Amino acid sequence: MDRLQKAVDFYIRYQTTLGFSIVSLVTAASERIFSSMVFKCPCNSENLVYGYSFLLAPAFVLLLLGYMMNTRTWRLFTGMCSLEKYPQYCSWRTWAHVCQLLVPMTAKASVAPLTWIAVALLGANFYECAASGSNMTAHLFCKNNTNYSQEQLYKMPCDEELSAAMSSVCLSFHAQSQLIGWFLIASIMTVALISTCVTHCFSPVSYLQFKFWKIYSRKEHKLFEIKAKEHASKLAERNTNCFFEATDPAPFRTPSNKDWQKVSVSYTFNSQEQYYSMLHKYVNTDRGNDAEFKEEGRDLNVFEFVDEAQAS
């Protein structure tokens, strides 16, 4: 039982890292299966388009899925074009806030597509097919070498004997693809490390408060879901009973539309206050009626780390 509790605690503590790792492993495995079972280079003038389509199109689809699976995407855009909110969202400050939120959302959504591209480049199948159909490649290898022709380059990915005869070209394609793949991986890790260090350096809270904030955020999210299910079940039960029993409904208190809107917006941390979420701020500002509730936050970056476990 103790081991199970330790395993649960380890998962809770590193759930974001474990989540990204699982996504990367599943994407890498999918790319290998996709490359071996689905991909068939046409070995003609369509090699370039076909190869890059398999390299980039699945990555684009994975990027869109990353946005769709991120709850913060829907939290940010739900009701954004409502006529009631239109004047509110016309300000440059609001759009600057939206753009600032889109940066970490894009970073999280890019994990799977970048993994796909990196693994595909290390495998070199897609790149070899695309490079064999490139006019630039033909100009490079065929201009001063009468042994190679454009048609031979087209057929090289499909013909093992021709590929062995043109081993120098084949090895060049593999080397180029793998070099680009390793450069991409190194660039991603470098940018991720630098951005994380910079964000933590400019954090408006200390390490222990930051740790407390993450614990509070997880607990509030979990309790909110439990309470929402209980509240929705009671309301549904009351309405169903009234329908079948033909009785008048008893009074039932539930948040108003304005209250839901107040707690649904993304929270921005203000170092002069000590609120850890919009719900926390709403409760301590007379249900969002104080002028303090309407003040814009000042520090957004720290919230991205606190909220990442429940928004990814």
Side-chain angles (χ1 to χ4, degrees):
M1 191 66 182
D2 293 338
R3 292 182 178 179
L4 178 61
Q5 185 62 40
K6 290 180 180 179
V8 173
D9 292 340
F10 178 83
Y11 170 76
I12 293 175
R13 181 177 299 179
Y14 299 104
Q15 58 182 322
T16 302
T17 303
L18 290 173
F20 287 154
S21 301
I22 293 173
V23 168
S24 299
L25 290 174
V26 171
T27 303
S30 301
E31 192 280 332
R32 289 290 85 197
I33 296 173
F34 204 78
S35 176
S36 60
M37 300 184 64
V38 178
F39 179 76
K40 300 294 181 182
C41 189
C43 297
N44 53 36
S45 58
E46 297 178 357
N47 284 9
L48 179 66
V49 176
Y50 190 82
Y52 281 127
S53 295
F54 273 75
L55 180 65
L56 300 178
F60 181 71
V61 173
L62 289 172
L63 178 65
L64 297 181
L65 287 175
Y67 280 118
M68 293 172 62
M69 297 298 291
N70 193 331
T71 56
R72 188 178 295 150
T73 303
W74 309 117
R75 185 172 186 175
L76 179 63
F77 289 104
T78 300
M80 193 171 184
C81 296
S82 173
L83 294 178
E84 296 178 358
K85 294 183 178 181
Y86 185 78
Q88 177 184 354
Y89 286 110
C90 286
S91 64
W92 66 269
R93 180 176 296 182
T94 301
W95 283 105
H97 177 75
V98 171
C99 293
Q100 195 173 6
L101 280 172
L102 284 174
V103 172
M105 287 167 54
T106 303
K108 294 181 179 66
S110 300
V111 173
L114 289 176
T115 300
W116 175 279
I117 294 175
V119 174
L121 287 172
L122 292 178
N125 289 341
F126 301 155
Y127 182 86
E128 180 183 4
C129 180
S132 65
S134 172
N135 292 329
M136 184 181 299
T137 303
H139 179 77
L140 178 64
F141 288 100
C142 303
K143 181 180 180 181
N144 298 320
N145 194 330
T146 56
N147 295 326
Y148 300 153
S149 66
Q150 178 71 72
E151 293 298 325
Q152 287 179 314
L153 286 177
Y154 287 158
K155 296 178 181 179
M156 186 184 65
C158 305
D159 193 331
E160 294 183 1
E161 294 183 1
L162 184 60
S163 179
M166 303 176 66
S167 59
S168 60
V169 180
C170 186
L171 291 174
S172 177
F173 288 162
H174 276 74
Q176 291 174 15
S177 181
Q178 291 174 348
L179 284 173
I180 297 173
W182 281 117
F183 179 77
L184 178 63
I185 293 173
S187 300
I188 294 171
M189 297 301 296
T190 303
V191 171
L193 177 60
I194 293 175
S195 60
T196 302
C197 291
V198 170
T199 304
H200 278 275
C201 287
F202 286 94
S203 172
V205 297
S206 63
Y207 174 77
L208 292 179
Q209 185 181 7
F210 179 58
K211 189 174 183 179
F212 169 81
W213 193 354
K214 290 196 290 186
I215 295 172
Y216 170 84
S217 181
R218 287 194 295 264
K219 291 294 184 181
E220 183 192 87
H221 182 71
K222 182 178 180 180
L223 292 174
F224 184 89
E225 286 193 345
I226 294 174
K227 189 65 177 178
K229 290 179 181 178
E230 293 177 355
H231 197 80
S233 298
K234 291 179 181 178
L235 181 59
E237 184 179 1
R238 188 205 68 164
N239 295 338
T240 305
N241 290 338
C242 290
F243 174 76
F244 284 102
E245 297 172 5
T247 58
D248 294 331
F252 192 91
R253 294 184 62 85
T254 189
S256 65
N257 291 338
K258 290 184 178 180
D259 292 335
W260 282 109
Q261 290 176 0
K262 289 176 181 178
V263 299
S264 295
V265 298
S266 296
Y267 176 64
T268 51
F269 181 75
N270 191 329
S271 55
Q272 296 180 354
E273 303 169 350
Q274 198 166 350
Y275 304 125
Y276 297 107
S277 68
M278 287 305 299
L279 185 62
H280 187 192
K281 190 173 184 178
Y282 168 85
V283 171
N284 287 274
T285 54
D286 189 22
R287 292 186 296 178
N289 294 320
D290 288 354
E292 181 184 359
F293 182 85
K294 299 179 181 179
E295 293 180 0
E296 293 289 338
R298 299 180 180 180
D299 303 295
L300 178 65
N301 290 335
V302 67
F303 178 70
E304 302 303 329
F305 288 90
V306 173
D307 191 48
E308 63 185 2
Q310 64 192 45
S312 299

